Amino acid sequence: MRFRNAVVFVTGGAGFIGSAVIRHLLDDTQACVVNIDKLTYAANLDSIPQAAGNARYRFAQVDIGDAAALRALFEQHRPHYVMNLAAESHVDRSIDGPAQFIETNIVGTFTLLQEALRHFRALDVPAQARFRFHHISTDEVYGSLGPQGLFTETTPYAPNSPYSASKASSDHLVRAWRETYGLPTIVTNCSNNYGPYHFPEKLIPHIIIKALAGEPLPVYGDGRQVRDWLYVEDHARALALAVERGTVGETYNIGGRSECANLHVVTTICRLIDQIEPSASGPREHLITFVADRPGHDRRYAIDPGKIERELGWSAAETFDTGLAKTVRWYLSNRHWWQAILEQGYKAERVGLAPQAEAELRARVHAFKA
Ligand code: NAD
Ligand code: DAU
């Protein structure tokens, strides 16, 4: 049985992908899981229904930037694996308020690396041979592709948003902690995820909840930007394989070979919802509204997942068609999950047009001149 007698730290385990990883570890392996999460706006402990009363699950409300709290957790639980998914993850929010992205994604990862290294150094040799620090990253670190080509593990980094720049920085820190201090690290870079329990600021759940409310469906720019979609449960399986069987020091790109233009994604969601719940006002495609583009909007992402397929035997189980249909059905059958988020104050408004960043810049220029 996989992860026998293993303690796994999952940071960001109350988020979209972290919760999918924990559901997989609890359902399909013998791992004991410690979910370490600060509980930001993006967190939701209801995303792990199997955690209730599970003797293999612990939760700690801790910021990965809090060295003392992390040290106490390492001493208490003595993990065999650390999977770092804690992050600020939304590109639009990073445009308006980059500071928190620097704090969590860079300084937080640095703090976690330091505490993991301290723990690693105190282990005996067999325990050191088993220990892994797995950093979960994104394809956005590679920047934007033209119409042809795929991101591979050797594509040079060229991040374009405050979010992707902060993720790229954290990837570099992880590399340096391996090269300089010998911490056994693995990095994975994945494409866009979608599926159940996805906070409704991201494209797919955003469009589903707006379509159900009969509200305008915002498509940024011309809607021809391409993303490479992966069902979140496929990603969770890939991550568990990578931390357990991946080679130390290696990077694995993860993707579903499912490129799709945003406008096509939005149109398909409208058709899927219309089939299940037709609207008296007619087809929901009429709600599609082109709005101002995202500043610095990357045009195309596409992953070559050949390495993880060949070396770890992973492949995506869902196609984009099957995964998207499942996702739409999930949002229709689990309205309580996302309606609670709306009731707690999330307004699904447009963000990321940079007023806050402009204000920060004006304040800095003013301070510099004074
Ligand atoms: P998410 O925003 O849904 O969840 C992030 C979680 O991290 C939340 O539960 C939040 O409370 C927690 N968190 C934030 N700051 C923290 C801190 N300082 N200390 C402890 N916990 C903190 O994000 P996600 O979509 O699940 O992404 C998880 C990871 O995967 C991120 O590193 C992201 O960059 C990466 N990633 C995401 C995607 C995607 O499509 N969503 C694709 C590739 C990679
Ligand atoms: O590629 C991996 C990345 O995918 C992850 O690292 C990020 O954490 C994750 O948020 C995601 O980033 P994107 O910026 O690609 O995802 P988002 O859902 O915000 O947007 C997807 C595309 O849809 C993007 O081209 C912007 C566009 N969009 C988004 C929203 C919210 C719209 O056209 N309208 C919208 O309302």
Side-chain angles (χ1 to χ4, degrees):
M1 188 65 174
R2 294 179 61 198
F3 292 92
R4 199 149 172 241
N5 301 321
V7 174
V8 185
F9 277 10
V10 179
T11 73
F16 170 49
I17 302 172
S19 65
V21 169
I22 294 179
R23 292 193 301 273
H24 173 54
L25 290 175
L26 292 179
D27 287 347
D28 305 321
T29 80
Q30 287 189 333
C32 293
V33 177
V34 183
N35 177 4
I36 300 170
D37 200 297
K38 178 182 170 184
L39 298 185
T40 69
Y41 77 93
N44 197 331
L45 290 170
D46 292 340
S47 303
I48 319 168
Q50 49 278 79
N54 194 320
R56 292 191 290 117
Y57 176 83
R58 294 281 181 280
F59 172 67
Q61 185 173 359
V62 163
D63 186 329
I64 58 162
D66 183 342
L70 288 178
R71 193 170 301 177
L73 288 173
F74 274 104
E75 284 169 5
Q76 182 185 354
H77 297 287
R78 304 183 59 74
H80 304 91
Y81 302 101
V82 175
M83 300 176 78
N84 181 30
L85 295 103
E88 290 293 335
S89 70
H90 190 36
V91 173
D92 290 335
R93 286 184 193 249
S94 82
I95 296 168
D96 288 346
Q100 191 57 52
F101 288 71
I102 305 305
E103 207 50 56
T104 287
N105 299 359
I106 305 177
V107 182
T109 301
F110 157 73
T111 310
L112 185 64
L113 281 165
Q114 286 288 71
E115 292 309 317
L117 180 60
R118 187 189 171 87
H119 165 72
F120 173 73
R121 283 179 167 161
L123 296 174
D124 60 22
V125 172
Q128 284 194 339
R130 188 179 182 194
F131 184 79
R132 297 287 181 274
F133 183 102
H134 178 184
H135 181 63
I136 285 73
S137 192
T138 171
D139 61 357
E140 297 201 15
V141 298
Y142 300 123
S144 187
L145 287 166
Q148 306 296 324
L150 301 171
F151 295 133
T152 70
E153 288 78 3
T154 54
T155 301
Y157 276 30
N160 292 318
S161 71
Y163 161 70
S164 54
S166 70
K167 292 295 294 184
S169 305
S170 62
D171 294 6
H172 291 321
L173 290 176
V174 172
R175 177 189 166 87
W177 260 244
R178 175 178 53 78
E179 291 292 328
T180 304
Y181 304 115
L183 188 70
T185 62
I186 288 168
V187 176
T188 50
N189 296 79
C190 188
S191 60
N192 284 64
N193 283 218
Y194 68 101
Y197 303 106
H198 202 182
F199 191 88
E201 66 190 348
K202 307 287 173 67
L203 177 69
I204 288 178
H206 195 74
I207 295 299
I208 295 172
I209 68 161
K210 286 210 173 270
L212 287 171
E215 291 176 10
L217 308 178
V219 173
Y220 298 174
D222 63 6
R224 293 187 186 185
Q225 300 81 10
V226 170
R227 297 292 182 266
D228 186 357
W229 295 96
L230 181 66
Y231 194 65
V232 68
E233 291 171 9
D234 280 328
H235 189 196
R237 279 192 303 107
L239 295 178
L241 270 180
V243 73
E244 195 187 24
R245 299 187 189 155
T247 302
V248 167
E250 290 295 319
T251 289
Y252 299 91
N253 280 358
I254 308 171
R257 299 182 194 274
S258 291
E259 287 185 56
C260 195
N262 292 340
L263 188 55
H264 184 71
V265 172
V266 174
T267 308
T268 309
I269 292 171
C270 290
R271 291 180 187 160
L272 286 166
I273 298 179
D274 287 345
Q275 281 166 17
I276 303 170
E277 268 189 30
S279 164
S281 325
R284 289 177 171 86
E285 270 179 61
H286 296 142
L287 298 170
I288 291 174
T289 308
F290 290 92
V291 297
D293 208 351
R294 170 186 281 176
H297 199 172
D298 287 335
R299 195 69 176 164
R300 175 171 167 258
Y301 305 144
I303 283 269
D304 175 357
K307 180 175 171 180
I308 191 166
E309 290 172 347
R310 280 190 309 277
E311 296 187 10
L312 302 184
W314 173 85
S315 62
E318 299 292 342
T319 65
F320 191 47
D321 285 344
T322 61
L324 192 58
K326 266 174 131 167
T327 303
V328 167
R329 283 198 300 274
W330 188 88
Y331 276 85
L332 286 167
S333 323
N334 291 275
R335 291 173 199 250
H336 59 281
W337 184 87
W338 52 269
Q339 276 168 349
I341 293 171
L342 300 178
E343 281 155 20
Q344 284 154 22
Y346 173 65
K347 294 196 165 44
E349 286 167 345
R350 178 73 195 269
V351 295
L353 291 172
Q356 180 61 30
E358 277 171 26
E360 274 178 23
L361 187 63
R362 272 198 301 277
R364 274 169 203 249
V365 170
H366 184 72
F368 180 73
K369 283 184 180 162

